[in-house]
Amino acid sequence: MPAYRDLVNGDTTTCTCGTCPPSNVSRRTVTRIMFGALQAMNDLKNEVQRLDPQTVIDDIDMRCSYPYNWIPPRARETHREALIGAHNILLVIYIILQDGGRPDSQTVRELCIKEEEQLPHTTEYIQGGGSVMHILEELTSQVEGDLRGDALYVDSEELLETLEQIRACALDENLLAWRRDIGISL
């Protein structure tokens, strides 16, 4: 069974379910991340529909609030298309996870470029100062907040039912391995 040393507190954590990949990211953790991506995509879609197409998102206070925090503060693309780009990058991350893949920054960028016609505004989001790494960091932070009880939403019944179907593991809810696997700084 795979084991790794937790870099924060030095504890050694070992897979107890027997199904964790070599990255030591449990299936339940991946499921939480996927549900977080779905919730964020829904919120971004709703916000885009609410906004006038000519809306400029340049107020720094606004960009620090949810769901505008998906646009990095330094981004030059400040129109609602940046939210569409963020949505579509989250969609790519979700699809990669659903297919059992690893959504590191390079893989996500390559898929966004390859599928540019079906995923509008991802290239503009990145060229305008947004980054896949920012999306991955925000998604991870959101899931970490959910696990700490600082969530914007209560876990849905669907998430809870899905988690019940996946064997529990000592690696569940530990996002350090996830951060290391996709290259997010600790």
Side-chain angles (χ1 to χ4, degrees):
M1 289 196 185
Y4 73 95
R5 181 160 299 282
D6 184 320
L7 295 177
V8 173
N9 61 25
D11 293 340
T12 300
T13 305
T14 304
C15 171
T16 56
C17 71
T19 64
C20 291
S23 66
N24 282 326
V25 180
S26 77
R27 289 182 53 219
R28 290 169 63 104
T29 298
V30 169
T31 300
R32 279 196 170 278
I33 292 165
M34 290 174 65
F35 270 83
L38 285 174
Q39 185 61 59
M41 285 188 292
N42 185 53
D43 293 342
L44 286 165
K45 183 182 86 175
N46 290 339
E47 193 63 18
V48 165
Q49 290 172 346
R50 190 187 72 73
L51 293 175
D52 180 271
Q54 305 307 314
T55 300
V56 176
I57 307 163
D58 59 357
D59 179 344
I60 218 57
D61 290 332
M62 182 182 202
R63 288 179 65 181
C64 291
S65 65
Y66 189 83
Y68 299 98
N69 59 326
W70 294 101
I71 305 170
R74 70 186 180 289
R76 295 177 307 282
E77 174 56 68
T78 58
H79 293 86
R80 73 189 256 268
E81 286 75 12
L83 296 176
I84 297 169
H87 171 280
N88 288 337
I89 289 170
L90 283 162
L91 177 60
V92 169
I93 292 167
Y94 180 87
I95 290 168
I96 290 170
L97 289 171
Q98 188 176 40
D99 290 345
R102 183 178 165 266
D104 62 273
S105 187
Q106 180 71 24
T107 303
V108 173
R109 269 196 309 275
E110 287 172 2
L111 193 52
C112 286
I113 291 167
K114 180 182 173 190
E115 301 296 332
E116 191 171 359
E117 277 190 37
Q118 282 93 8
L119 301 166
H121 306 293
T122 54
T123 303
E124 294 91 339
Y125 174 87
I126 294 167
Q127 290 173 345
S131 73
V132 172
M133 192 55 70
H134 177 78
I135 298 285
L136 288 165
E137 287 171 350
E138 283 294 324
L139 178 58
T140 302
S141 293
Q142 177 181 313
V143 172
E144 287 169 334
D146 292 350
L147 292 170
R148 281 191 313 270
D150 302 335
L152 290 172
Y153 301 97
V154 175
D155 287 342
S156 70
E157 288 297 317
E158 184 180 3
L159 171 58
L160 296 174
E161 288 172 8
T162 302
L163 290 174
E164 285 178 12
Q165 296 172 19
I166 301 171
R167 190 172 173 194
C169 180
L171 298 173
D172 291 346
E173 302 182 4
N174 186 334
L175 290 166
L176 290 174
W178 162 259
R179 284 179 169 279
R180 278 193 296 274
D181 189 46
I182 61 171
I184 297 175
S185 58
L186 301 175

